[in-house]
Amino acid sequence: FTLQGLFEKRQPEVSVEFSDFLASRVLTPPRLIDELANGQRKEKFEVLLRQTVPFIVPDAVVAAACGGLRQLATAPEDHPVHTYMATELGIRDTLSHRLQLLSPSEFESLLHPVFQEDEIILIAVGGVLGFATGMLQYFFTFGGPSGLRGIGAIHRAM
């Protein structure tokens, strides 16, 4: 019966679940587009876009494309561009594959912040369960407080 190392044995299935979570709630196409069009590095993205588009295309067209991206970021997730991005980027599959390739210690380090919020609760529950187990052992081994009195009488007689 093994208790330690069960999390590491479940790394493949946890990787799939975690990648599903990230792909459906965090790294969605609308969020990615929103970060490009409105995020902290918006200006750098616009410069990159200007450098990538041939010089013959007017700045007004590039600015309109950036505005279109800003509008696209607010479009529903079933918008054809979002569907296309989700398919072509393959975030879910890529994340799942990459997470499975991590060593157990790297995998634990990656997911530790996810559980860190509940860590104090886990420690408290562990303490309560440990105390309850100790009390059960005390009652079954010594018969409770009355059993200890009998042991004390034996020690006094010696």
Side-chain angles (χ1 to χ4, degrees), residues 25-85:
R25 296 189 181 166
V26 179
L27 298 173
T28 62
R31 284 185 177 216
L32 294 174
I33 292 172
D34 182 53
E35 184 60 32
L36 285 174
N38 302 313
Q40 293 177 345
R41 296 189 174 99
K42 169 179 116 172
E43 289 80 19
K44 288 184 179 184
F45 173 71
E46 290 173 357
V47 168
L48 176 68
L49 191 60
R50 178 68 261 177
Q51 291 171 348
T52 306
V53 174
F55 71 92
I56 201 160
V57 176
D59 287 340
V61 173
V62 175
C66 291
L69 279 175
R70 281 190 276 285
Q71 287 179 345
L72 184 60
T74 61
E77 285 205 38
D78 62 349
H79 189 281
V81 173
H82 296 314
T83 305
Y84 175 78
M85 275 184 69

Side-chain angles (χ1 to χ4, degrees), residues 19 22-24 27-29 32 85-97:
S19 63
L22 287 175
S24 64
L27 298 173
T28 62
L32 294 174
M85 275 184 69
T87 303
E88 290 303 309
L89 290 177
I91 291 172
R92 179 176 283 117
D93 295 335
T94 303
L95 279 173
S96 176
H97 176 70

Side-chain angles (χ1 to χ4, degrees), residues 63-147:
C66 291
L69 279 175
R70 281 190 276 285
Q71 287 179 345
L72 184 60
T74 61
E77 285 205 38
D78 62 349
H79 189 281
V81 173
H82 296 314
T83 305
Y84 175 78
M85 275 184 69
T87 303
E88 290 303 309
L89 290 177
I91 291 172
R92 179 176 283 117
D93 295 335
T94 303
L95 279 173
S96 176
H97 176 70
R98 290 292 190 85
L99 288 172
Q100 290 177 31
L101 293 178
L102 292 174
S103 70
S105 62
E106 290 172 324
F107 188 68
E108 182 184 343
S109 296
L110 175 74
L111 290 182
H112 184 78
V114 174
F115 299 110
Q116 197 168 16
E117 182 178 307
D118 297 326
E119 196 169 27
I120 191 71
I121 294 169
L122 293 172
I123 292 169
V125 168
V128 168
L129 290 175
F131 177 77
T133 303
M135 291 307 294
L136 285 172
Q137 182 179 4
Y138 166 72
F139 280 107
F140 285 123
T141 303
F142 301 113
S146 61

